Amino acid sequence: MKAAQTGFSTAAILGFSAALITLVLDQVTKLYTLFVYDLPLKEPVEFAPFINLIVVWNRGISYGLFQQDGDLGRWVLIVVSILAAIGLSIWIRRTKAKLLALSLGLIVGGAIGNVIDRLAYGAVFDFIQFQVGNWSWYVFNVADAAIVAGVIGLLYDSFVLEARRGR
């Protein structure tokens, strides 16, 4: 089906596809790691010399900031994430810029993936840890990685490509 037939631009189709793929990959990896591989019983697992699999229940936002112990904080994070996903989806629908739409889609898919965790478990399931010697990066999941990649793409689009489009 062509973009003109659906009423969506090619960029919007790309953005919404990225959101869906991100959401599916995020949830599949989390469900597999939790319930099939049973990481909580096997952790820590050295996946590669610099990647460990461990279980972290993140009740805050990125990097474990603003940890929420109560239901009010959890629901505030859920509502804010849903509102952000809706707003970014409207932006995807309106843009003609492919990288912008892709980047926004990564953020939307990651945000929805983490909302599902908060609804299902009360916290976000993070399980991938980069570690080199004694130095360790924060523990994350596919949704978090997609959000970071989306923000990088958004910044690149805003500061580099937008300037080129303005010429």
Side-chain angles (χ1 to χ4, degrees), residues 14-15 19 30 37 44-45 64 76-77 79 81 95 104-105 115 119 122 131 134 139 144-147 152 161:
L14 180 64
K30 288 173 180 174
Y37 185 72
V45 175
V76 166
L77 290 175
V79 169
S81 296
T95 189
L104 294 169
V115 163
L119 289 169
Q131 182 175 340
N134 291 331
V139 181
D144 298 335
I147 291 168
I152 291 168
L161 299 182

Side-chain angles (χ1 to χ4, degrees), residues 58-98:
N58 184 356
R59 289 175 167 69
I61 60 172
S62 295
Y63 304 101
L65 298 172
F66 308 116
Q67 290 293 314
Q68 304 298 314
D69 291 329
D71 278 344
L72 176 62
R74 172 180 159 223
W75 285 104
V76 166
L77 290 175
I78 289 170
V79 169
V80 168
S81 296
I82 290 171
L83 291 174
I86 291 169
L88 295 176
S89 294
I90 292 168
W91 194 0
I92 290 171
R93 180 75 170 93
R94 292 180 178 172
T95 189
K96 303 287 187 237
K98 292 177 184 171

Side-chain angles (χ1 to χ4, degrees), residues 99-157:
L99 178 62
L100 176 59
L102 174 67
S103 299
L104 294 169
L106 291 171
I107 296 168
V108 168
I112 294 170
N114 284 342
V115 163
I116 290 170
D117 283 17
R118 288 186 199 287
L119 289 169
Y121 315 117
V124 174
F125 174 53
D126 292 331
F127 59 95
I128 304 167
Q129 176 192 38
F130 279 126
Q131 182 175 340
V132 178
N134 291 331
W135 179 83
S136 175
W137 189 245
Y138 76 104
V139 181
F140 63 97
N141 57 43
V142 171
D144 298 335
I147 291 168
V148 169
V151 168
I152 291 168
L154 185 61
L155 292 171
Y156 181 78
D157 182 84

Side-chain angles (χ1 to χ4, degrees), residues 55 143 146 151 164:
V55 175
V151 168
R164 290 181 188 168

Side-chain angles (χ1 to χ4, degrees), residues 21-41:
I21 291 167
T22 297
L23 176 61
V24 169
L25 284 174
D26 176 64
Q27 290 300 299
V28 165
T29 57
K30 288 173 180 174
L31 291 170
Y32 176 81
T33 305
L34 266 175
F35 300 113
V36 176
Y37 185 72
D38 204 9
L39 183 61
L41 292 179

